[in-house]
Amino acid sequence: MGDLRDLYQEVILDHSRKPRNFRCLEEADHRVDGFNPLCGDKVTLFVRLENGELKDISFQGSGCAISTASASMMTEKLKGKSTQEAMRLFDEFHDLVTGKAGQGADLGKLAVFSGVCEFPIRVKCATLAWHALKAALIGAEHSVSTE
Ligand code: ZN
């Protein structure tokens, strides 16, 4: 298990140092600011929807390694997905990091966050970008806070 854990940490470190899709999306039709006061993580999520599909998705912000890596890997995973699929993955990811259920079978690399459930304070770091995503897809809010 030790090696596997190291591998997981490597993936998270890699994404936190070189976040993917880390840019402002000029043509975004949804923009949501997320804030996790417990850790000080900030994320702004940009989404461009087209025909019920996440045509493009990006983020900016600053936060701990977990929050940045989670946002980075989420944008990688969700680009091109339907909004329905994105909502389903939100639930799957949420269950994974809160230790509720499932192995995150459809989450691919995002399954590295399963270890987060052992650290309740980190759950909010890992889910910040996802909550922003959900708000963007529902279109109800322009900012979310984990509190
Ligand atoms: Zn954090």
Side-chain angles (χ1 to χ4, degrees), residues 3-127:
D3 290 348
L4 204 58
R5 198 157 279 237
D6 287 347
L7 177 74
Y8 285 0
Q9 279 178 358
E10 242 171 69
V11 174
I12 289 173
L13 279 179
D14 176 53
H15 274 268
S16 69
R17 285 181 187 141
K18 291 175 290 179
R20 321 304 198 259
N21 303 306
F22 189 84
R23 62 194 155 84
C24 174
L25 193 62
E26 299 288 345
E27 62 273 32
D29 40 29
H30 296 273
R31 180 204 153 121
V32 176
D33 295 312
F35 180 48
N36 172 18
L38 271 184
C39 183
D41 307 317
K42 283 181 194 163
V43 65
T44 300
L45 188 75
F46 303 90
V47 181
R48 186 160 72 87
L49 292 176
E50 209 176 288
N51 301 322
E53 213 178 71
L54 282 78
K55 199 76 185 166
D56 209 352
I57 176 167
S58 71
F59 78 105
Q60 286 196 307
S62 61
C64 65
I66 299 268
S67 69
T68 304
S70 175
S72 169
M73 291 169 75
M74 180 189 81
T75 57
E76 236 185 7
K77 178 79 184 173
L78 295 182
K79 205 179 218 174
K81 294 271 192 294
S82 68
T83 55
Q84 225 175 0
E85 178 72 357
M87 288 301 257
R88 202 181 61 73
L89 288 169
F90 171 92
D91 289 335
E92 198 167 321
F93 186 78
H94 199 264
D95 284 350
L96 181 81
V97 296
T98 51
K100 264 186 207 137
Q103 306 295 312
D106 297 328
L107 290 170
K109 271 195 291 178
L110 282 160
V112 299
F113 287 97
S114 63
V116 167
C117 69
E118 292 168 38
F119 308 95
I121 199 160
R122 289 291 177 198
V123 170
K124 291 181 173 178
C125 302
T127 56

